[in-house]
């Protein structure tokens, strides 16, 4: 998949490969971990290769909140044992923004924290209403939605350098869920983040969504969960 152009987005930069930026880092490259160090074009290509697609923000939020509009995937009260976030990743209390800044500057791209990301099937007690895991924390998740317009992404930057479009609203996709560097407010199911379409980070990944045939006898039953974290 890494070398095949078959599933590339039409706007993908010429000559771009899909190897994750952290492919040689044992903290991020184990098969049970959610993939990180990829950009939106990488996520788009992998989802197509896997027979799925990136979720829209609305699809993601429905999977995370269910029908009752809960604040976190498990309910309305924050419960730190159900989610992997900054305090767990760095093993330090983070009561405010000053402490958050102090903790995040200790991050070392090669060594610290020693185990920033958990396996994709960790913390089943934090499952969302339809059973999806890690909808909060661990890694941010890309969507196919533009952060500003809330419409599907429609990039047109092929042949341009990031510095030429880094201030264009068309270049930012919506992120959801928070990550191992996030404080509790960013872990809420309604919180929206954003990222530049070509950026790669150790705290940003994605999950694929797969369409299922509707059951005509199901009536108003809750939809089946169709998402899974991508671990190429």
């Amino acid at each position: 998949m890494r070398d095949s152009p078959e599933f590339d987005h039409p706007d993908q930069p010429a000559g771009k490969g899909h190897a994750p930026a952290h492919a040689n880092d044992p903290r991020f490259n184990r098969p049970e971990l959610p993939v990180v160090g990829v950009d939106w074009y990488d996520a788009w290509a992998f989802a197509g290769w896997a027979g799925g697609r990136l979720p829209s923000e609305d699809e993601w939020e429905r999977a995370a909140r269910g029908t009752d509009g809960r604040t976190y995937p498990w309910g309305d009260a924050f419960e730190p044992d159900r989610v992997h976030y900054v305090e767990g990743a760095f093993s330090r209390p983070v009561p405010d923004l000053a402490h958050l800044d102090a903790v995040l500057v200790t991050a070392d791209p090669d060594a610290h924290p020693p185990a920033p990301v958990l396996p994709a099937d960790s913390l089943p007690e934090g499952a969302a209403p339809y059973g999806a895991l890690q909808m909060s924390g661990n890694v941010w998740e890309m969507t196919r939605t533009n952060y500003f317009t809330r419409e599907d992404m429609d990039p047109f930057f092929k042949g341009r350098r990031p510095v030429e479009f880094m201030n264009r609203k068309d270049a930012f996709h919506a992120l959801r869920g928070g990550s191992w560097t996030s404080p509790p407010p960013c872990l809420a199911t309604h919180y929206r983040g954003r990222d530049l379409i070509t950026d790669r980070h150790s705290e940003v990944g994605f999950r694929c969504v797969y369409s299922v045939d509707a059951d005509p006898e199901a009536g108003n039953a809750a939809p089946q969960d169709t998402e899974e974290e991508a671990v190429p």
Side-chain angles (χ1 to χ4, degrees):
M1 177 262 173
R2 290 179 178 175
D3 300 319
S4 172
E6 180 180 357
F7 300 100
D8 291 350
H9 191 279
D11 190 61
Q12 178 177 297
K16 172 181 166 53
H18 295 298
H22 307 291
N24 297 317
D25 189 332
R27 297 180 302 155
F28 299 108
N29 67 0
R30 302 197 311 274
E32 70 271 20
L33 301 178
V35 66
V36 294
V38 292
D39 65 21
W40 189 87
Y41 292 111
D42 298 322
W44 173 281
F46 180 89
W49 173 82
R53 53 186 171 79
L54 293 179
S56 68
E57 266 199 288
D58 288 343
E59 289 173 326
W60 189 97
E61 190 164 324
R62 176 62 181 269
R65 303 188 81 178
T67 59
D68 58 7
R70 57 188 61 189
T71 304
Y72 301 100
W74 55 85
D76 286 324
F78 181 68
E79 300 182 46
D81 292 339
R82 295 177 183 262
V83 59
H84 185 57
Y85 69 118
V86 65
E87 290 194 0
F90 287 87
S91 300
R92 291 172 57 180
V94 183
D96 52 40
L97 287 177
H99 283 81
L100 178 64
D101 289 341
V103 165
L104 294 182
V105 297
T106 69
D108 184 303
D110 298 316
H112 186 70
V117 180
L118 296 184
D121 60 356
S122 298
L123 300 174
E125 60 272 25
Y130 305 120
L133 303 181
Q134 304 286 354
M135 296 296 288
S136 181
N138 211 27
V139 298
W140 286 100
E141 297 180 6
M142 301 184 217
T143 71
R144 69 170 189 267
T145 302
N146 180 281
Y147 177 83
F148 293 98
T149 67
R150 295 181 182 261
E151 302 292 334
D152 280 357
M153 290 287 292
D154 186 22
F156 53 90
F157 306 118
K158 194 168 187 176
R160 304 184 189 183
R161 297 172 300 160
V163 69
E164 297 179 75
F165 56 78
M166 61 187 300
N167 293 319
R168 296 288 299 269
K169 292 182 177 180
D170 315 75
F172 288 87
H173 58 84
L175 296 174
R176 288 302 196 104
S179 77
W180 57 274
T181 63
S182 298
C186 298
L187 306 173
T189 53
H190 54 78
Y191 188 88
R192 305 179 72 226
R194 68 176 185 261
D195 200 14
L196 186 66
I197 195 170
T198 53
D199 277 2
R200 293 178 163 197
H201 307 280
S202 62
E203 68 271 25
V204 176
F206 65 98
R207 71 176 65 215
C208 303
V209 62
Y210 298 88
S211 298
V212 294
D213 294 331
D215 181 357
E217 299 179 2
N220 294 322
Q224 297 183 46
D225 173 46
T226 59
E227 301 186 335
E228 65 181 21
E229 294 215 18
V231 187

